[in-house]
Amino acid sequence: MSEISQRVTQASDTELDYDAIVVGAGFAGLYMLHRLRSLGLRARVFEAGSGVGGTWFWNAYPGARCDIESMEYSYQFDEALQQEWVWSERYAAQPEILSYLNHVADRFDLRRDIQFDTRVQAATYEEAQGRWRVRLEKGGTATARYCIMATGVLSSANIPAIPGLADFPGQVLHTGNWPHAGVDFTGKRVGVVGTGSSGIQVIPEIAKQAAHLTVFQRTASYTIPARNAPLDPAAQAAVKADYQGLRQRVSLMPIGAEFYHRDVSALAEAPAAREAEMEARWRKGGTSFGAAFNDLMLSKEANQVAADFVRAKIRSLVADAATAERLMPKQLFGCKRICLDTDYYATFNRPNVSLVDVSGGIEAATAQGLRVAGRDYALDTLVFATGFDAMTGALLKVDIRGVGGLPLSQKWAEGARTYLGLQVQGFPNLFTITGPQSPSVFTNMVPSIEQHVEFIADCIAYMQPRGLTRVEPVKAAEDAWVEHVGGIAASTLYASCNSWYLGANIPGKPRVFLAHIGFPTYVQRCREVVAKDYEGFAFA
Ligand code: N01
């Protein structure tokens, strides 16, 4: 039995009516449960996995690591918790984050209200009772006044529809659903499809083990060296001496994390000075490379400066000129999420690694491997690092029906519509933690999650003494919010490329920009809404 499953103690299945149901036991669901309990509510968490952790439970692939620094990618709601936990590396790897979340679950005695191995299939609002009825995949239902979706933003794995895939006899894996027992690639011919953040992390690790690794690349990504390193105990102690100071400082930064943002145009500086700035950031490592200038996502000309710098780096790091050329991204810098890597480009200098361009599509999977442009690539194992149906996928996997039985899928047929990414008009008492049109993926997720959990808990606490039992957004507020979020995106270069931020990676998904850009302004807006007695929400 794995360490994780040994630590899981199942909540009992006898109590079926609750004050609140929470779907998911990752960062969001765990903290939500803790807050609901502190309001004196009876809450139940349903979790599809066999342990806590959400994203960090499922993405157990070798090389999985956070791209926000450990000291910031953690809860701040409990001072003792943030003082006692010791991170070992600048960027925590998946096992360490999963251990942290297990520690949180134990420390706050959360497991007794979590039902594991339980996928929620449907959630229906029963208007006469004013309750949500949740149907479980393995049978049974539960009801509650509040239904809180803590299902994650990158949790619905996407495996492309490749003809013949069912005929491939070897092991087929997705990075977002990785076996906890691990995978031994020794002596295997492995194919990895996808070169986004997950592919870029898993490729160097598989290359170290496999007999041969073939990387199938549709779009080359921009990746910056992570320069991960052990965390210096003295530096960690210095942060802990004033942890709240750090939290306060970063809460005012555009992504809610230390980003070393410079308010300088890439076009205003002399070429030598801007090269020096980018070189320093490249050497330091991390996503703050993208914050070297203030206009990379506003002006194509400025964007070109960073793009050219990274392309020159690729040229210098990859020995074979033709491979280097194929690894050079052609799209705008940062328009798709920038990746962080450890030895990604150097991996292509290994004799057991080859790169195949699949920009024209993968023709078919066969009994031997993959066929691309008429050529067969023999494989024993196929790894999909092909991403997720982001932001809306996990919500729409549950058959959610609001007032009058309206399916959420129908409400969102033309694209997601929410108010503040927290609620959907017509779906009373349903909350979405880091839902579409909130900052979510444009931030350090943990403070974003905490802010949403606290908003939801405060809203319920506001309702209780007033005898209010129902809350949902008014349509005008939702419409204005959707327009506002789309307007911000349209004023940047983000809206101009085929990223998962606007659903472009999923065939047939409506193209709507799914995140609010700018964390501090969003938080300020939420505060104003609360100060005006939850402006834009209707209570009954
Ligand atoms: O997924 P992705 P991901 N044939 O969608 C390719 C977070 N994250 O799991 O770009 C061939 O970015 C696709 O090609 P294209 C982070 O927010 C964070 O890597 O669509 N290829 C692309 O190369 C990240 O952005 C961390 O042309 C196909 C890749 O698969 C998000 O999760 C680590 C294809 C998918 O890239 C998602 O990252 C990991 C097809 N049919 C993830 N379909 C860290 O914190 C798709 N692709 C560091």
Side-chain angles (χ1 to χ4, degrees):
M1 207 194 284
S2 74
E3 191 205 333
I4 293 158
S5 46
Q6 275 172 5
R7 296 179 69 182
V8 169
T9 52
Q10 295 272 338
S12 84
D13 200 10
T14 51
E15 211 179 1
L16 294 175
D17 185 62
Y18 306 95
D19 296 315
I21 285 172
V22 179
V23 187
F27 266 102
L30 292 178
Y31 182 38
M32 193 73 244
L33 171 60
H34 180 62
R35 287 303 287 237
L36 290 167
R37 272 193 195 161
S38 67
L39 292 175
L41 299 183
R42 286 175 315 113
R44 179 71 144 191
V45 179
F46 294 113
E47 165 57 55
S50 59
V52 301
T55 288
W56 299 103
F57 175 87
W58 297 106
N59 286 266
Y61 60 87
R65 188 178 288 289
C66 191
D67 61 1
I68 301 280
E69 300 202 16
S70 310
M71 297 297 290
E72 296 177 52
Y73 193 82
S74 53
Y75 292 119
Q76 57 191 288
F77 70 84
D78 188 279
E79 181 62 16
L81 169 66
Q82 66 177 2
Q83 287 294 334
E84 77 199 7
W85 186 262
V86 178
W87 293 104
S88 69
E89 294 180 279
R90 178 182 179 189
Y91 296 104
Q94 174 268 338
E96 188 168 19
I97 302 176
L98 189 57
S99 296
Y100 169 74
L101 288 168
N102 273 288
H103 169 75
V104 170
D106 291 337
R107 191 184 200 287
F108 296 101
D109 187 22
L110 299 175
R111 286 176 215 277
R112 65 186 156 87
D113 288 321
I114 306 174
Q115 192 169 316
F116 294 99
D117 298 308
T118 306
R119 185 173 287 283
V120 168
Q121 201 171 43
T124 306
Y125 186 64
E126 297 181 340
E127 197 159 13
Q129 293 78 20
R131 298 192 95 66
W132 280 91
R133 179 171 297 276
V134 161
R135 194 171 73 235
L136 311 174
E137 199 174 72
K138 63 183 183 187
T141 62
T143 53
R145 172 164 294 161
Y146 302 103
C147 181
I148 303 166
M149 302 300 288
T151 39
V153 290
L154 293 157
S155 48
S156 177
N158 165 48
I159 293 194
I162 297 174
L165 190 54
D167 301 332
F168 177 69
Q171 193 173 17
V172 176
L173 300 159
H174 189 284
T175 47
N177 191 6
W178 200 264
H180 278 254
V183 181
D184 185 7
F185 293 106
T186 312
K188 298 268 167 60
R189 297 163 302 175
V190 183
V192 173
V193 181
T195 51
S197 297
S198 305
I200 279 172
Q201 289 186 329
V202 83
I203 284 165
E205 295 302 317
I206 296 178
K208 288 179 199 161
Q209 251 190 27
H212 192 86
L213 169 63
T214 309
V215 176
F216 296 92
Q217 174 190 272
R218 186 164 73 179
T219 305
S221 294
Y222 289 93
T223 173
I224 310 296
R227 313 244 187 250
N228 183 44
L231 256 185
D232 172 18
Q236 187 155 184
V239 168
K240 287 184 176 178
D242 182 22
Y243 223 144
Q244 287 311 334
L246 171 74
R247 301 295 197 181
Q248 173 59 25
R249 206 166 56 248
V250 299
S251 73
L252 303 173
M253 297 190 179
I255 65 158
E258 195 92 78
F259 206 38
Y260 309 103
H261 189 79
R262 253 172 108 236
D263 207 7
V264 175
S265 162
L267 305 173
E269 269 188 323
R274 68 190 188 200
E275 286 290 306
E277 180 64 31
M278 288 188 287
E279 184 62 34
R281 285 174 184 250
W282 182 271
R283 282 174 193 272
K284 186 174 188 298
T287 38
S288 71
F289 180 87
F293 307 106
N294 63 8
D295 51 357
L296 294 183
M297 296 316 298
L298 298 175
S299 141
K300 284 190 178 169
E301 218 183 333
N303 192 282
Q304 187 77 20
V305 170
D308 285 347
F309 180 91
V310 178
R311 290 190 197 118
K313 286 290 181 194
I314 298 170
R315 210 170 283 122
S316 73
L317 290 167
V318 179
D320 176 60
T323 306
E325 185 56 39
R326 266 182 278 143
L327 286 167
M328 282 182 210
K330 310 290 181 285
Q331 74 276 15
L332 293 170
F333 172 86
C335 209
K336 293 189 182 210
R337 166 107 170 203
I338 298 170
C339 308
L340 290 195
D341 74 276
T342 300
D343 297 334
Y344 179 66
Y345 293 121
T347 297
F348 291 90
N349 296 333
R350 297 177 64 108
N352 68 330
V353 176
S354 48
L355 180 66
V356 174
D357 176 14
V358 295
S359 54
I362 295 171
E363 215 175 300
T366 67
Q368 282 73 43
L370 288 184
R371 183 171 301 150
V372 179
R375 182 170 163 194
D376 286 312
Y377 296 87
L379 304 169
D380 303 306
T381 308
L382 196 43
V383 175
F384 285 102
T386 40
F388 303 89
D389 183 352
M391 321 285 284
T392 56
L395 293 167
L396 293 175
K397 255 187 184 171
V398 179
D399 182 6
I400 299 177
R401 288 168 190 254
V403 173
L406 181 74
L408 185 62
S409 56
Q410 196 173 317
K411 163 105 187 184
W412 285 1
E414 313 265 292
R417 304 189 71 74
T418 73
Y419 181 43
L420 300 170
L422 278 158
Q423 275 215 301
V424 183
Q425 184 266 330
F427 296 76
N429 295 0
L430 179 83
F431 291 95
T432 51
I433 300 178
T434 61
Q437 287 134 4
S438 73
S440 65
V441 292
F442 269 77
T443 64
N444 174 1
M445 284 300 290
V446 187
S448 266
I449 284 168
E450 286 184 299
Q451 189 252 338
H452 266 198
V453 167
E454 286 160 14
F455 186 102
I456 295 164
D458 290 350
C459 180
I460 294 173
Y462 172 90
M463 292 168 70
Q464 279 180 312
R466 292 170 175 79
L468 303 170
T469 56
R470 174 175 164 147
V471 56
E472 68 176 304
V474 294
K475 186 166 180 312
E478 183 176 274
D479 290 347
W481 185 252
V482 173
E483 198 172 319
H484 172 68
V485 172
I488 298 174
S491 69
T492 71
L493 297 176
Y494 285 111
S496 67
C497 66
N498 289 330
S499 68
W500 59 255
Y501 295 140
L502 33 67
N505 63 326
I506 301 295
K509 186 166 173 173
R511 299 276 176 108
V512 172
F513 201 81
L514 290 167
H516 176 283
I517 301 170
F519 181 61
T521 49
Y522 173 84
V523 174
Q524 186 51 35
R525 177 83 181 106
C526 287
R527 288 197 185 120
E528 286 162 13
V529 164
V530 174
K532 292 180 185 166
D533 280 334
Y534 291 89
E535 184 181 44
F537 290 96
F539 294 93

